[in-house]
Amino acid sequence: MTKVVVVGDRLVSSETLKEAALKLNIPSPIEVVEFQWYSDLTKDQFQEKILLIEKGGPEAVNIPEGILEAIVDADYLLVHIAPVSKAMIEAATQLKLIGTCRGGIEHIATESVKSKGIPLIHVIRNAEPVADFTLGLMFTETRNIARSHQGVMAGEWRKSFPNDPYKTTLSNLKVGLVGLGYIGKLVVQRLNGLGVEVLVYDPFVDQEVIKAEGLKVDFRTIEELFSEADIISLHARVTPETTNMVNHSLISLMKPSAYLINTARAAILDKEALVEALQERRIAGAALDVIWSEPVKKDDPLLQLDNLTLTSHIAGDTIDAIPRSPYLLRDVLNAYFQTGKSDMLMRL
């Protein structure tokens, strides 16, 4: 008997995760034990729980009642956004793998997972939507699409903008990506298709493997990337090492004509450094889908900037991304079971 524990939530039901679990290529018979995490909350209430996790990790919220007992002899654990806490990892005696299917992994006690040597497969459920949205923000910011719309709706027929000295087509610009994970690779594919030169900083990827995958990129140090790129797009995950990684020092290396795009996590970008650079016109502009305090407060200095595009954390919000995620996780896990390799196996 192979035991799989699944934890559903308001967005992805345990029934859907169970259906995916039963199609895993693991020894049968398969026993699936289901839990639900805050599935009865309203959308706003559930969003509050998500924000607690993103700020405080898995220990900042409650875990489902009874899961510590159920996980003791579990072989696999599948979750969407429910917490995988230190207590859960410590209780598990024979866990062979953890699978999750959401944007980040803030909900997982990664240090505990690492200390036990448990493989963690992280399927980014909305990678395609985020990659599309990232490209959209590049066009929006460099060509003032949102600012022009805002002006027209307010009765203004704007023809001039802060980045007027630098306006050009995307094909004339070098795009630098910080992080070349699953989403970063999808962004590269789109930029390659448009004939845009791409620079990459990611010290953890095998450059030969990237070339073998057919991705056309040039690798740089992070300082070189910030100095050379015309658009810098952030795709790193939050760790102690990456928190506030993009700081005054790196931003000071950017060209006056350069733009910064963030569809990853707010915490990797130093807010004060970005605000100062935009206020002083030391860079041409920025576009953010992730903000340090969501929803943004009315007195936030971000709202006073005329060279910044803000969206309300919607990069991954499409009708099919979340419902499909357990089946995407199933397919990735089965490929991993077959080959022993996966781009989505986390390096902890």
Side-chain angles (χ1 to χ4, degrees):
M1 179 75 71
T2 302
K3 183 176 179 180
V4 183
V5 172
V6 302
V7 189
D9 53 55
R10 188 187 185 278
L11 302 177
V12 172
S13 70
S14 62
E15 289 84 358
T16 305
L17 283 165
K18 178 180 179 179
E19 183 179 335
L22 290 172
K23 295 295 179 65
L24 291 176
N25 295 331
I26 54 180
S28 58
I30 301 173
E31 175 194 9
V32 180
V33 180
E34 301 176 58
F35 291 91
Q36 282 288 124
W37 183 71
Y38 289 125
S39 58
D40 57 342
L41 298 184
T42 66
K43 183 177 181 180
D44 289 343
Q45 290 171 335
F46 190 68
Q47 183 62 33
E48 290 175 3
K49 298 296 182 183
I50 295 174
L51 290 175
L52 285 175
I53 284 179
E54 291 185 350
K55 292 178 180 178
E59 318 304 326
V61 292
N62 294 327
I63 60 177
E65 185 177 350
I67 198 168
L68 291 180
E69 294 76 16
I71 206 169
V72 169
D73 59 348
D75 297 291
Y76 299 92
L77 172 63
L78 306 183
V79 304
H80 170 234
I81 202 170
V84 179
S85 69
K86 180 180 179 181
M88 290 169 61
I89 301 302
E90 290 177 347
T93 61
Q94 60 186 47
L95 205 57
K96 298 178 177 65
L97 181 142
I98 299 169
T100 185
C101 49
R102 66 165 299 229
I105 56 171
E106 298 91 345
H107 60 307
I108 296 177
T110 53
E111 288 301 317
S112 298
V113 173
K114 180 180 179 180
S115 68
K116 276 203 166 185
I118 302 170
L120 171 61
I121 295 286
H122 173 218
V123 174
I124 302 176
R125 67 180 186 221
N126 50 12
E128 290 274 353
V130 173
D132 287 345
F133 200 89
T134 299
L135 204 63
L137 286 183
M138 292 180 188
F139 285 115
T140 297
E141 183 57 32
T142 60
R143 298 299 305 280
N144 303 298
I145 295 171
R147 272 186 282 282
S148 179
H149 166 77
Q150 184 182 38
V152 172
M153 297 298 287
E156 302 173 7
W157 198 253
R158 294 188 64 180
K159 290 291 188 178
S160 61
F161 301 93
N163 66 339
D164 280 348
Y166 315 117
K167 283 186 297 189
T168 186
T169 60
L170 190 61
S171 61
N172 289 328
L173 302 175
K174 292 182 183 179
V175 175
L177 304 186
V178 178
L180 195 58
Y182 189 38
I183 293 175
K185 288 181 180 180
L186 292 175
V187 174
V188 171
Q189 290 174 7
R190 286 153 173 76
L191 292 170
N192 284 170
L194 293 170
V196 178
E197 185 176 351
V198 183
L199 311 178
V200 167
Y201 166 75
D202 191 327
F204 299 104
V205 302
D206 186 324
Q207 297 186 22
E208 294 305 315
V209 170
I210 297 303
K211 291 178 181 177
E213 292 177 356
L215 298 177
K216 298 176 183 178
V217 302
D218 293 315
F219 284 87
R220 296 287 192 272
T221 67
I222 195 166
E223 291 81 10
E224 289 170 340
L225 185 142
F226 271 78
S227 298
E228 296 179 33
D230 300 297
I231 301 174
I232 297 167
S233 188
L234 307 182
H235 300 282
R237 65 187 183 92
V238 177
T239 67
E241 292 74 27
T242 62
T243 298
N244 285 332
M245 175 178 67
V246 181
N247 54 20
H248 287 85
S249 177
L250 286 177
I251 292 176
S252 70
L253 299 176
M254 294 174 65
K255 305 174 185 177
S257 57
Y259 303 86
L260 189 60
I261 310 291
N262 191 8
T263 54
R265 287 289 185 264
I268 62 180
L269 176 57
D270 185 317
K271 180 179 180 179
E272 180 182 341
L274 176 67
V275 170
E276 285 184 6
L278 292 171
Q279 287 174 337
E280 297 170 8
R281 300 281 199 261
R282 287 190 278 110
I283 62 175
L288 311 176
D289 184 56
V290 285
I291 302 170
W292 294 267
S293 178
E294 297 181 9
V296 64
K297 294 179 174 57
K298 293 182 179 180
D299 61 348
D300 195 305
L302 295 171
L303 300 180
Q304 306 303 315
L305 298 168
D306 65 352
N307 50 358
L308 173 67
T309 298
L310 296 176
T311 53
S312 52
H313 207 154
I314 57 172
D317 189 7
T318 60
I319 59 171
D320 52 352
I322 294 176
R324 287 181 57 246
S325 61
Y327 308 114
L328 179 60
L329 177 60
R330 173 202 61 199
D331 294 343
V332 169
L333 289 177
N334 282 337
Y336 174 70
F337 295 145
Q338 181 177 0
T339 66
K341 299 178 181 179
S342 176
D343 284 345
M344 302 180 200
L345 179 65
M346 297 305 298
R347 302 180 295 263
L348 299 177

